[in-house]
Amino acid sequence: MRIKILALLSLSLAALVFTGCDGGTAQMGPKEANLLGIATVEKESYQPAAVTTLAVSTDELYTRKNYSGDQVTLLWGLITLQDY
């Protein structure tokens, strides 16, 4: 009886772990990551920064040729770092 319960528990745990895992290669997956509003990362955003934020572009900090379009917002929108 204990072996059946342990086997069922192991199978259920394995199903939960391996369900829907694609390793981050989904084409329709989310392009945004949020850490409690302290830091928000948007991949390939290319959106203009809000008027109420201190916007800093990476080309103002150093020269680059290949921009990713990512936008990092810090401290609930107080500072926005743009890579475009």
Side-chain angles (χ1 to χ4, degrees), residues 19-45:
T19 302
C21 295
D22 68 347
T25 59
Q27 293 180 0
M28 299 300 289
K31 294 185 177 185
E32 181 179 323
N34 189 351
L35 179 65
L36 301 174
I38 297 170
T40 303
V41 179
E42 294 180 51
K43 299 280 185 184
E44 300 172 359
S45 171

Side-chain angles (χ1 to χ4, degrees), residues 35-68:
L35 179 65
L36 301 174
I38 297 170
T40 303
V41 179
E42 294 180 51
K43 299 280 185 184
E44 300 172 359
S45 171
Y46 292 105
Q47 297 295 320
V51 179
T52 59
T53 187
L54 175 67
V56 178
S57 183
T58 54
D59 62 346
E60 296 172 358
L61 302 175
Y62 56 92
T63 57
R64 250 180 103 154
K65 291 183 182 179
N66 54 346
Y67 298 104
S68 65

